[in-house]
Amino acid sequence: MTDIDVSAPGIGADPSRRRYELEETGFKEVPKKWRKFYRHWGGPLDTLAPNEVICPVCKVVIRATRELRPGDKVYCMPCMSRMVVVVAESGRLEAEVIF
Amino acid sequence: MSVVDEFDPHALAEQDFLDEVHSFQFWFDSVEGYLSDRPYGRLETTVDEPIDDARRERLITTLCNYSVGETAALEGAAGLVQLAPDRNSKIFMATQVADEARHLEVFLHRLRELGVADPEAEIERRAQPALVDFKGALLDLVAEGDWQAAVFAQNVVLETMEYTVFRLHAANADPVTRDVLAGVISDERRHAGFGENDLGRSLAADPSGRARLREIRTGLDAMVVGVFEAALADIGAPAGERSQLAHEYLDTIERLGLT
């Protein structure tokens, strides 16, 4: 484990985080069982929820079942990227690709 | 008590994630979601709108050049199946071959819908020489057995630019062309992502490859950047949007440490 990794089940299983019920939003670019974890980004005016970050590679919104925190590891299945959640200069949560 | 979803992608171990997203099953279940009701990429309910002659001419030229790019990627991906260093990559690259063949087919079909009787001859006539040169350079890298450089040329340089251009084009296109592009864009997301991540992992393991790829990039950029900028002008993308092409491409290059 590196310092940018968290144990994988941490996000969904952490009861101290606010939980979000995910529903499909019309994003169909992954198999059905994974679809609710992703949605199309609506552009700069699209406000992200605390359980969402934008994939910097393909601009899809990545969603989790609980609020995201810096250091969380998330996957973008539509573009096959692995990333870590960080706090940007703006104070917003962003995702950085890790290889 | 905590509740954990049975299927949570973020809970996958890295290798399980890679096995999943590179699989033929993942590809099949993905494309089924956005292509099954679209013969030749087009929703049957979408109605073609009249296009004036000047716009039609520009669209034909653009689609001819898209066809050159897709043919390059089709032939390149087919050759890369043999070069792929592991079975997951071979399987993924085989799905890319199918995607590229479909892209070429839907663009040829759209050309015929626009009244082009002989798309092969029209592509020959309208192809940008620089893009034809790019295709030759990509296939040379494949023929040399250079997986890393060929993936860079095909899945990073070509696919990243196509991904941006197709998205901007879709936003400004007639309804049928927009439908066709929508399916292609969904495919390109996988292709560009595969390229960046495959190269990212190999360069993280052996950073010495960066100097060579920077050199290769210089030659390739000269062949394709102008072509795609011209395509954006042809489709009438606003000037502000056109800068997105360089911006998104350079973001990718920067993440890979190739600036």
Side-chain angles (χ1 to χ4, degrees):
Chain A
M1 178 184 280
T2 69
D3 58 356
I4 53 172
D5 277 329
V6 295
S7 60
I11 303 169
D14 181 353
S16 71
R17 302 177 186 221
R18 181 175 166 189
R19 182 170 169 78
Y20 291 81
E21 288 297 329
L22 302 182
E23 290 180 0
E24 284 187 39
T25 59
F27 186 86
K28 295 182 174 178
E29 295 181 25
V30 293
K32 186 160 181 56
K33 64 184 175 185
W34 310 114
R35 286 183 192 161
K36 65 182 179 181
F37 290 93
Y38 303 95
R39 70 171 175 85
H40 288 290
W41 183 46
L45 298 179
D46 183 347
T47 305
L48 300 185
N51 64 323
E52 297 180 329
V53 284
I54 295 174
C55 171
V57 176
C58 73
K59 318 298 182 214
V60 157
V61 177
I62 300 165
R63 312 168 79 205
T65 52
R66 294 195 183 264
E67 68 181 87
L68 290 168
R69 293 178 182 171
D72 287 342
K73 183 191 70 179
V74 291
Y75 291 116
C76 181
M77 284 188 149
C79 76
M80 313 179 178
S81 299
R82 178 175 175 248
M83 49 202 80
V84 63
V85 177
V86 297
V87 181
E89 283 179 11
S90 63
R92 284 191 331 172
L93 291 183
E94 287 186 358
E96 270 184 13
V97 180
I98 45 179
F99 297 121
Chain B
M1 188 182 101
S2 70
V3 181
V4 181
D5 274 53
E6 184 186 359
F7 297 110
D8 182 343
H10 312 308
L12 293 172
E14 184 178 4
Q15 192 56 52
D16 292 339
F17 167 73
L18 294 176
D19 289 346
E20 169 72 10
V21 295
H22 288 149
S23 71
F24 188 90
Q25 193 64 52
F26 179 89
W27 170 83
F28 187 80
D29 292 342
S30 299
V31 298
E32 185 275 337
Y34 58 88
L35 293 179
S36 60
D37 57 351
R38 294 181 179 228
Y40 294 103
R42 169 184 178 169
L43 275 171
E44 285 172 313
T45 51
T46 302
V47 179
D48 222 341
E49 70 179 20
I51 302 176
D52 65 55
D53 286 350
R55 191 178 174 201
R56 178 180 160 280
E57 275 300 301
R58 290 197 302 271
L59 180 57
I60 288 172
T61 298
T62 300
L63 292 174
C64 282
N65 280 286
Y66 288 173
S67 297
V68 175
E70 297 301 339
T71 305
L74 171 59
E75 293 180 23
L80 283 170
V81 172
Q82 191 174 2
L83 301 183
D86 55 69
R87 286 178 173 76
N88 271 352
S89 302
K90 286 181 188 294
I91 292 167
F92 173 81
M93 203 48 77
T95 67
Q96 186 171 338
V97 172
D99 289 337
E100 306 297 1
R102 193 189 71 81
H103 300 172
L104 181 56
E105 183 174 83
V106 296
F107 288 142
L108 293 174
H109 189 263
R110 185 67 184 134
L111 283 167
R112 289 192 192 93
E113 286 182 333
L114 290 166
V116 176
D118 185 351
E120 289 285 352
E122 207 63 39
I123 291 167
E124 189 84 16
R125 200 163 68 82
R126 299 189 189 226
Q128 291 273 357
L131 193 53
V132 176
D133 289 347
F134 177 88
K135 180 185 172 204
L138 166 61
L139 296 181
D140 284 348
L141 293 171
V142 174
E144 289 161 15
D146 192 338
W147 165 262
Q148 192 179 53
V151 166
F152 176 66
Q154 175 180 282
N155 286 59
V156 175
V157 178
L158 181 61
E159 299 283 352
T160 302
M161 288 195 193
E162 285 185 339
Y163 180 55
T164 304
V165 169
F166 292 166
R167 275 169 34 234
L168 295 176
H169 187 174
N172 296 281
D174 64 89
V176 173
T177 303
R178 187 184 312 138
D179 273 4
V180 170
L181 287 168
V184 176
I185 290 163
S186 300
D187 295 337
E188 302 293 14
R189 221 189 284 281
R190 286 191 300 277
H191 306 164
F194 174 85
E196 178 168 340
N197 284 286
D198 183 80
L199 276 185
R201 285 189 293 273
S202 73
L203 291 172
D206 179 13
S208 68
R210 287 200 173 93
R212 190 174 73 97
L213 290 181
R214 280 191 199 106
E215 213 169 288
I216 291 170
R217 182 200 151 196
T218 306
L220 296 176
D221 279 4
M223 296 178 199
V224 287
V225 174
V227 171
F228 285 113
E229 282 175 345
L232 287 177
D234 276 350
I235 61 176
E241 288 182 3
R242 286 183 224 164
S243 62
Q244 222 173 302
L245 176 68
H247 182 70
E248 292 190 3
Y249 174 58
L250 289 175
D251 278 351
T252 304
I253 293 297
E254 192 174 328
R255 285 193 294 271
L256 289 169
L258 297 175
T259 49

